[in-house]
PDB file of all heavy atoms in Angstrom:
ATOM      1  N   LYS A 331     -53.196 -51.599  39.862  1.00 97.00           N
ATOM      2  CA  LYS A 331     -53.015 -52.054  41.253  1.00 97.00           C
ATOM      3  C   LYS A 331     -51.963 -51.029  41.946  1.00 97.00           C
ATOM      4  O   LYS A 331     -51.069 -50.492  41.182  1.00 97.00           O
ATOM      5  CB  LYS A 331     -52.486 -53.439  41.266  1.00 97.00           C
ATOM      6  CG  LYS A 331     -51.158 -53.711  40.863  1.00 97.00           C
ATOM      7  CD  LYS A 331     -50.714 -55.194  41.189  1.00 97.00           C
ATOM      8  CE  LYS A 331     -49.195 -55.243  40.840  1.00 97.00           C
ATOM      9  NZ  LYS A 331     -48.722 -56.659  40.986  1.00 97.00           N
ATOM     10  N   ALA A 332     -52.010 -50.869  43.171  1.00 97.00           N
ATOM     11  CA  ALA A 332     -51.113 -49.996  43.981  1.00 97.00           C
ATOM     12  C   ALA A 332     -50.139 -50.771  44.680  1.00 97.00           C
ATOM     13  O   ALA A 332     -50.397 -51.801  45.238  1.00 97.00           O
ATOM     14  CB  ALA A 332     -51.851 -49.214  44.997  1.00 97.00           C
ATOM     15  N   ALA A 333     -48.841 -50.280  44.670  1.00 96.00           N
ATOM     16  CA  ALA A 333     -47.774 -51.082  45.272  1.00 96.00           C
ATOM     17  C   ALA A 333     -46.811 -50.076  46.017  1.00 96.00           C
ATOM     18  O   ALA A 333     -46.642 -48.998  45.518  1.00 96.00           O
ATOM     19  CB  ALA A 333     -47.061 -51.918  44.374  1.00 96.00           C
ATOM     20  N   HIS A 334     -46.125 -50.551  46.973  1.00 97.00           N
ATOM     21  CA  HIS A 334     -45.239 -49.735  47.806  1.00 97.00           C
ATOM     22  C   HIS A 334     -43.890 -49.809  47.071  1.00 97.00           C
ATOM     23  O   HIS A 334     -43.364 -50.899  46.966  1.00 97.00           O
ATOM     24  CB  HIS A 334     -45.131 -50.393  49.231  1.00 97.00           C
ATOM     25  CG  HIS A 334     -44.221 -49.667  50.131  1.00 97.00           C
ATOM     26  ND1 HIS A 334     -43.587 -50.187  51.282  1.00 97.00           N
ATOM     27  CD2 HIS A 334     -43.656 -48.431  50.124  1.00 97.00           C
ATOM     28  CE1 HIS A 334     -42.906 -49.390  51.858  1.00 97.00           C
ATOM     29  NE2 HIS A 334     -42.921 -48.283  51.149  1.00 97.00           N
ATOM     30  N   LEU A 335     -43.341 -48.640  46.633  1.00 97.00           N
ATOM     31  CA  LEU A 335     -42.061 -48.673  46.004  1.00 97.00           C
ATOM     32  C   LEU A 335     -41.293 -47.425  46.365  1.00 97.00           C
ATOM     33  O   LEU A 335     -41.477 -46.360  45.661  1.00 97.00           O
ATOM     34  CB  LEU A 335     -42.213 -48.842  44.530  1.00 97.00           C
ATOM     35  CG  LEU A 335     -40.824 -48.811  43.759  1.00 97.00           C
ATOM     36  CD1 LEU A 335     -39.924 -49.894  44.245  1.00 97.00           C
ATOM     37  CD2 LEU A 335     -41.017 -48.825  42.260  1.00 97.00           C
ATOM     38  N   PRO A 336     -40.467 -47.466  47.412  1.00 98.00           N
ATOM     39  CA  PRO A 336     -39.532 -46.371  47.819  1.00 98.00           C
ATOM     40  C   PRO A 336     -38.365 -46.456  46.721  1.00 98.00           C
ATOM     41  O   PRO A 336     -37.787 -47.579  46.663  1.00 98.00           O
ATOM     42  CB  PRO A 336     -39.102 -46.638  49.186  1.00 98.00           C
ATOM     43  CG  PRO A 336     -39.922 -47.824  49.684  1.00 98.00           C
ATOM     44  CD  PRO A 336     -40.402 -48.539  48.433  1.00 98.00           C
ATOM     45  N   TRP A 337     -38.020 -45.375  46.131  1.00 97.00           N
ATOM     46  CA  TRP A 337     -37.073 -45.384  44.981  1.00 97.00           C
ATOM     47  C   TRP A 337     -35.749 -45.848  45.692  1.00 97.00           C
ATOM     48  O   TRP A 337     -35.327 -45.538  46.801  1.00 97.00           O
ATOM     49  CB  TRP A 337     -36.810 -43.949  44.484  1.00 97.00           C
ATOM     50  CG  TRP A 337     -38.075 -43.430  43.846  1.00 97.00           C
ATOM     51  CD1 TRP A 337     -39.050 -44.190  43.303  1.00 97.00           C
ATOM     52  CD2 TRP A 337     -38.560 -42.079  43.880  1.00 97.00           C
ATOM     53  NE1 TRP A 337     -40.078 -43.294  42.880  1.00 97.00           N
ATOM     54  CE2 TRP A 337     -39.753 -42.093  43.153  1.00 97.00           C
ATOM     55  CE3 TRP A 337     -37.954 -40.928  44.201  1.00 97.00           C
ATOM     56  CZ2 TRP A 337     -40.449 -40.861  42.884  1.00 97.00           C
ATOM     57  CZ3 TRP A 337     -38.573 -39.716  43.961  1.00 97.00           C
ATOM     58  CH2 TRP A 337     -39.838 -39.752  43.277  1.00 97.00           C
ATOM     59  N   GLY A 338     -35.070 -46.780  44.933  1.00 95.00           N
ATOM     60  CA  GLY A 338     -33.800 -47.317  45.338  1.00 95.00           C
ATOM     61  C   GLY A 338     -33.914 -48.542  46.238  1.00 95.00           C
ATOM     62  O   GLY A 338     -32.775 -49.072  46.651  1.00 95.00           O
ATOM     63  N   ASP A 339     -35.124 -48.959  46.650  1.00 96.00           N
ATOM     64  CA  ASP A 339     -35.236 -50.091  47.583  1.00 96.00           C
ATOM     65  C   ASP A 339     -35.155 -51.325  46.709  1.00 96.00           C
ATOM     66  O   ASP A 339     -36.187 -51.717  46.044  1.00 96.00           O
ATOM     67  CB  ASP A 339     -36.562 -49.982  48.344  1.00 96.00           C
ATOM     68  CG  ASP A 339     -36.896 -50.991  49.391  1.00 96.00           C
ATOM     69  OD1 ASP A 339     -36.364 -52.199  49.128  1.00 96.00           O
ATOM     70  OD2 ASP A 339     -37.416 -50.674  50.341  1.00 96.00           O
ATOM     71  N   LEU A 340     -34.018 -52.000  46.661  1.00 93.00           N
ATOM     72  CA  LEU A 340     -33.757 -53.123  45.873  1.00 93.00           C
ATOM     73  C   LEU A 340     -34.779 -54.256  46.110  1.00 93.00           C
ATOM     74  O   LEU A 340     -35.367 -54.858  45.138  1.00 93.00           O
ATOM     75  CB  LEU A 340     -32.385 -53.662  46.045  1.00 93.00           C
ATOM     76  CG  LEU A 340     -31.905 -54.740  45.039  1.00 93.00           C
ATOM     77  CD1 LEU A 340     -31.997 -54.253  43.574  1.00 93.00           C
ATOM     78  CD2 LEU A 340     -30.537 -55.194  45.440  1.00 93.00           C
ATOM     79  N   GLN A 341     -35.107 -54.505  47.331  1.00 92.00           N
ATOM     80  CA  GLN A 341     -36.031 -55.660  47.541  1.00 92.00           C
ATOM     81  C   GLN A 341     -37.356 -55.368  47.050  1.00 92.00           C
ATOM     82  O   GLN A 341     -38.040 -56.219  46.387  1.00 92.00           O
ATOM     83  CB  GLN A 341     -36.054 -55.831  49.171  1.00 92.00           C
ATOM     84  CG  GLN A 341     -36.976 -57.010  49.458  1.00 92.00           C
ATOM     85  CD  GLN A 341     -36.412 -58.398  48.892  1.00 92.00           C
ATOM     86  OE1 GLN A 341     -35.161 -58.767  49.215  1.00 92.00           O
ATOM     87  NE2 GLN A 341     -37.161 -59.095  48.124  1.00 92.00           N
ATOM     88  N   ARG A 342     -37.887 -54.114  47.176  1.00 93.00           N
ATOM     89  CA  ARG A 342     -39.184 -53.743  46.697  1.00 93.00           C
ATOM     90  C   ARG A 342     -39.189 -53.867  45.179  1.00 93.00           C
ATOM     91  O   ARG A 342     -40.160 -54.202  44.449  1.00 93.00           O
ATOM     92  CB  ARG A 342     -39.578 -52.429  47.163  1.00 93.00           C
ATOM     93  CG  ARG A 342     -39.775 -52.223  48.625  1.00 93.00           C
ATOM     94  CD  ARG A 342     -41.173 -52.708  49.139  1.00 93.00           C
ATOM     95  NE  ARG A 342     -41.200 -52.621  50.535  1.00 93.00           N
ATOM     96  CZ  ARG A 342     -42.198 -53.041  51.133  1.00 93.00           C
ATOM     97  NH1 ARG A 342     -43.184 -53.704  50.667  1.00 93.00           N
ATOM     98  NH2 ARG A 342     -42.221 -52.998  52.519  1.00 93.00           N
ATOM     99  N   MET A 343     -38.034 -53.437  44.505  1.00 93.00           N
ATOM    100  CA  MET A 343     -37.956 -53.379  43.096  1.00 93.00           C
ATOM    101  C   MET A 343     -38.073 -54.850  42.573  1.00 93.00           C
ATOM    102  O   MET A 343     -38.654 -55.184  41.587  1.00 93.00           O
ATOM    103  CB  MET A 343     -36.793 -52.674  42.557  1.00 93.00           C
ATOM    104  CG  MET A 343     -36.805 -51.178  42.842  1.00 93.00           C
ATOM    105  SD  MET A 343     -35.521 -50.288  42.084  1.00 93.00           S
ATOM    106  CE  MET A 343     -34.096 -50.532  43.042  1.00 93.00           C
ATOM    107  N   GLU A 344     -37.350 -55.742  43.201  1.00 89.00           N
ATOM    108  CA  GLU A 344     -37.295 -57.103  42.848  1.00 89.00           C
ATOM    109  C   GLU A 344     -38.577 -57.730  42.887  1.00 89.00           C
ATOM    110  O   GLU A 344     -39.147 -58.485  42.092  1.00 89.00           O
ATOM    111  CB  GLU A 344     -36.153 -57.882  43.641  1.00 89.00           C
ATOM    112  CG  GLU A 344     -34.779 -57.584  43.040  1.00 89.00           C
ATOM    113  CD  GLU A 344     -33.649 -58.183  43.909  1.00 89.00           C
ATOM    114  OE1 GLU A 344     -33.937 -58.748  44.923  1.00 89.00           O
ATOM    115  OE2 GLU A 344     -32.522 -58.153  43.435  1.00 89.00           O
ATOM    116  N   ASP A 345     -39.304 -57.389  44.018  1.00 89.00           N
ATOM    117  CA  ASP A 345     -40.683 -57.910  44.385  1.00 89.00           C
ATOM    118  C   ASP A 345     -41.631 -57.532  43.086  1.00 89.00           C
ATOM    119  O   ASP A 345     -42.365 -58.352  42.589  1.00 89.00           O
ATOM    120  CB  ASP A 345     -41.260 -57.440  45.515  1.00 89.00           C
ATOM    121  CG  ASP A 345     -40.571 -58.099  46.807  1.00 89.00           C
ATOM    122  OD1 ASP A 345     -39.799 -59.036  46.640  1.00 89.00           O
ATOM    123  OD2 ASP A 345     -40.772 -57.564  47.898  1.00 89.00           O
ATOM    124  N   LEU A 346     -41.523 -56.301  42.675  1.00 86.00           N
ATOM    125  CA  LEU A 346     -42.357 -55.797  41.549  1.00 86.00           C
ATOM    126  C   LEU A 346     -41.985 -56.361  40.301  1.00 86.00           C
ATOM    127  O   LEU A 346     -42.806 -56.363  39.302  1.00 86.00           O
ATOM    128  CB  LEU A 346     -42.165 -54.330  41.474  1.00 86.00           C
ATOM    129  CG  LEU A 346     -43.223 -53.552  42.423  1.00 86.00           C
ATOM    130  CD1 LEU A 346     -42.943 -51.963  42.153  1.00 86.00           C
ATOM    131  CD2 LEU A 346     -44.633 -53.835  42.115  1.00 86.00           C
ATOM    132  N   ASP A 347     -40.702 -56.857  40.136  1.00 73.00           N
ATOM    133  CA  ASP A 347     -40.191 -57.233  38.914  1.00 73.00           C
ATOM    134  C   ASP A 347     -40.324 -58.726  38.646  1.00 73.00           C
ATOM    135  O   ASP A 347     -39.976 -59.226  37.679  1.00 73.00           O
ATOM    136  CB  ASP A 347     -38.710 -56.804  38.861  1.00 73.00           C
ATOM    137  CG  ASP A 347     -38.133 -56.880  37.504  1.00 73.00           C
ATOM    138  OD1 ASP A 347     -38.785 -56.430  36.552  1.00 73.00           O
ATOM    139  OD2 ASP A 347     -36.983 -57.405  37.348  1.00 73.00           O
ATOM    140  N   LEU A 348     -40.843 -59.429  39.725  1.00 66.00           N
ATOM    141  CA  LEU A 348     -40.776 -60.919  39.706  1.00 66.00           C
ATOM    142  C   LEU A 348     -41.263 -61.609  38.436  1.00 66.00           C
ATOM    143  O   LEU A 348     -40.614 -62.286  37.791  1.00 66.00           O
ATOM    144  CB  LEU A 348     -41.513 -61.422  40.928  1.00 66.00           C
ATOM    145  CG  LEU A 348     -40.827 -61.576  42.177  1.00 66.00           C
ATOM    146  CD1 LEU A 348     -41.684 -62.197  43.300  1.00 66.00           C
ATOM    147  CD2 LEU A 348     -39.490 -62.327  41.939  1.00 66.00           C
ATOM    148  N   ASP A 349     -42.487 -61.290  38.053  1.00 55.00           N
ATOM    149  CA  ASP A 349     -43.093 -61.989  36.975  1.00 55.00           C
ATOM    150  C   ASP A 349     -43.442 -60.975  35.827  1.00 55.00           C
ATOM    151  O   ASP A 349     -44.035 -61.358  34.873  1.00 55.00           O
ATOM    152  CB  ASP A 349     -44.226 -62.806  37.307  1.00 55.00           C
ATOM    153  CG  ASP A 349     -45.278 -62.121  38.105  1.00 55.00           C
ATOM    154  OD1 ASP A 349     -45.073 -60.964  38.393  1.00 55.00           O
ATOM    155  OD2 ASP A 349     -46.178 -62.732  38.483  1.00 55.00           O
TER     156      ASP A 349
END
Side-chain angles (χ1 to χ4, degrees):
K331 74 171 188 186
H334 180 201
L335 179 58
W337 301 330
D339 183 327
L340 185 60
Q341 184 60 56
R342 298 275 177 191
M343 292 191 282
E344 283 176 349
D345 290 348
L346 273 180
D347 195 44
L348 273 184
D349 54 357

